[in-house]
Amino acid sequence: KGIERKYLEMIKKTDLFSVVQKISLEYWMLGEVFPYATFDQETKMWKRIYCHNPDYIVIRKDSVDGEFNISLKPDPKLQEIVQSTDPAKRKYRDKLDPALLDAVAKNQYIPLDNFNISHIKNENHDYDAHGSSIIMSVWKDLVLWDLFRENKFIQADAMVNPLTLIKVGASGPDGHYPRQEELQSYREIFEQAQYDKDFKVFTHPDVAVERVGFNSAVMDISSDMNFILDNIFIGLMVPKAIIQQEGASYSSASVGLDVIKQRYDNFRNKIANWLMNKIFAPMAEANGWYETIEEEKHLILPVIEWNQMTLYDNDQYITHLMSLLDKPAPTATAGVSRSTIYRSLGLDFE
């Protein structure tokens, strides 16, 4: 219980749940995330976890052992702190590592310790230095979608604010061909008339005013928009029936739901491995939290459990668990405990 309280204290101090949410968002948007954790040697626990801006992260691969070395490129804000003569910034600068200050002053990359920095990425191959965003699979569709939307904006603007064409003069042998001074005079007259409801123009019959707009010549892009939208759903592997509630029924979309669930399960496992290997295990090792199992020392680590995904109706699943409740083992079908039932319902058995 004492170790558990220490873990819970660290989780609360670092706001670990919020950190995992931010990591998830950046992972799915950018395809990679760089969490950085600072360790307090006095309390022997993590005191802060935050994500570095990937625009200032430099990854280099060791050509011998294939290990990736992560460095930080000094951003303008950090350079300003190092070079500024402001007393407040100098006070903050005194708290920074001298090696870091020296690297920034020389405009060199700052090497990051693998103990603190992590790289969680959506990789296609082991040799990929960077992760790939899932959005990249539909990037061209999104660009085309934006162009079509811009087209609609232009059409709508032309309908609301059509072009005003003013003709002065008439062609032919007896026609009137106005001089530039006369055209400028008419420009000033109609500019005054624009903001005066009772403005009246007295002129000869060779003056005509037209409103040039799209009228009925509107480009129909509905089929194109639906085609692009379907491509986006396919690229992101999201069942259309779940988002728009149209097309296939919810029950017939179960295959797509299985794909989503499998993807989220894989991502949960990736996050669980990161939490175990980069957060909990180093903290347990630093504090010497070991237990002996069959004459072997093992770190005392928490068990990470996720809530049941609400992508399905769980009634049938819970009913099946209830049928196995308290069945004595060994039997043809082994039983489950009451704590399993409560956990499946998202409840704390204690």
Side-chain angles (χ1 to χ4, degrees):
K1 288 295 182 180
I3 295 176
E4 182 183 7
R5 282 194 297 269
K6 282 287 187 179
Y7 278 131
L8 292 175
E9 182 182 349
M10 182 273 296
I11 290 172
K12 183 178 180 181
K13 186 175 182 179
T14 59
D15 195 9
L16 190 58
F17 182 74
S18 177
V19 170
V20 170
Q21 286 184 319
K22 293 174 183 177
I23 289 174
S24 303
L25 176 62
E26 192 154 324
Y27 176 89
W28 291 115
M29 285 180 58
L30 305 180
E32 61 182 355
V33 58
F34 297 90
Y36 188 88
T38 55
F39 195 78
D40 190 342
Q41 296 293 343
E42 294 183 2
T43 60
K44 294 185 178 181
M45 66 171 60
W46 301 106
K47 61 180 180 180
R48 188 184 176 206
I49 305 173
Y50 59 95
C51 298
H52 270 300
N53 186 345
D55 292 339
Y56 296 99
I57 290 292
V58 179
I59 303 177
R60 292 176 176 174
K61 183 180 179 181
D62 194 312
S63 57
V64 178
D65 56 12
E67 289 290 329
F68 292 101
N69 299 315
I70 302 177
S71 302
L72 180 66
K73 180 181 178 182
D75 61 354
K77 186 176 181 180
L78 186 57
Q79 290 176 341
E80 181 183 356
I81 292 174
V82 173
Q83 299 171 2
S84 176
T85 57
D86 182 48
K89 293 180 179 178
R90 289 180 60 184
K91 185 177 180 181
Y92 177 78
R93 184 171 63 229
D94 293 340
K95 299 179 182 179
L96 298 177
D97 187 355
L100 185 146
L101 297 176
D102 184 62
V104 175
K106 296 178 180 178
N107 198 24
Q108 297 177 345
Y109 294 153
I110 305 167
L112 300 177
D113 195 328
N114 288 333
F115 178 79
N116 304 97
I117 190 68
S118 304
H119 186 196
I120 306 173
K121 59 181 177 178
N122 181 27
E123 58 186 356
N124 298 320
H125 307 283
D126 291 338
Y127 50 79
D128 288 341
H130 292 275
S132 301
S133 171
I134 188 176
I135 300 176
M136 290 303 297
S137 63
V138 294
W139 182 253
K140 290 186 177 180
D141 292 287
L142 291 173
V143 172
L144 187 57
W145 175 281
D146 191 59
L147 289 175
F148 276 130
R149 288 181 61 180
E150 187 67 25
N151 173 273
K152 279 298 182 184
F153 279 123
I154 295 173
Q155 290 186 28
D157 185 67
M159 291 176 183
V160 176
N161 302 302
L163 174 67
T164 302
L165 178 62
I166 301 176
K167 300 178 181 179
V168 180
S171 60
D174 299 327
H176 171 64
Y177 294 91
R179 297 186 306 274
Q180 185 64 35
E181 294 81 5
E182 187 178 354
L183 292 177
Q184 181 61 31
S185 177
Y186 273 104
R187 176 191 293 273
E188 296 174 357
I189 290 172
F190 280 100
E191 285 180 351
Q192 295 176 23
Q194 182 178 359
Y195 302 104
D196 190 345
K197 295 181 180 178
D198 296 325
F199 196 92
K200 297 174 179 61
V201 179
F202 298 89
T203 183
H204 55 78
D206 292 331
V207 176
V209 180
E210 295 181 15
R211 297 285 187 177
V212 181
F214 280 89
N215 296 328
S216 59
V218 178
M219 181 179 179
D220 184 13
I221 58 173
S222 57
S223 60
D224 298 304
M225 297 289 273
N226 290 329
F227 175 74
I228 295 173
L229 192 60
D230 288 340
N231 285 347
I232 293 175
F233 280 128
I234 294 171
L236 299 180
M237 296 186 184
V238 179
K240 191 174 182 180
I242 305 302
I243 304 300
Q244 294 189 332
Q245 298 182 359
E246 65 179 30
S249 63
Y250 189 87
S251 58
S252 63
S254 58
V255 176
L257 288 173
D258 281 332
V259 174
I260 289 181
K261 186 176 183 300
Q262 187 63 43
R263 171 178 287 181
Y264 289 162
D265 278 335
N266 291 337
F267 177 69
R268 280 179 166 183
N269 292 334
K270 181 174 289 189
I271 292 296
N273 289 333
W274 173 76
L275 288 171
M276 198 66 68
N277 297 326
K278 299 291 289 188
I279 302 299
F280 294 122
M283 182 175 169
E285 190 173 356
N287 286 274
W289 295 337
Y290 290 94
E291 60 181 344
T292 303
I293 301 176
E294 297 180 355
E295 299 182 354
E296 290 186 4
K297 292 178 65 177
H298 296 271
L299 290 172
I300 302 176
L301 301 172
V303 177
I304 299 175
E305 289 187 349
W306 305 100
N307 291 335
Q308 184 75 21
M309 289 190 195
T310 56
L311 296 176
Y312 300 97
D313 185 358
N314 293 327
D315 290 345
Q316 185 176 358
Y317 173 72
I318 298 299
T319 302
H320 185 63
L321 287 181
M322 292 294 293
S323 67
L324 299 175
L325 180 62
D326 294 336
K327 279 195 173 183
T331 59
T333 55
V336 299
S337 65
R338 292 184 179 273
S339 60
T340 301
I341 300 292
Y342 277 70
R343 193 164 59 247
S344 300
L345 291 170
L347 301 175
D348 186 351
F349 181 73
E350 294 183 1

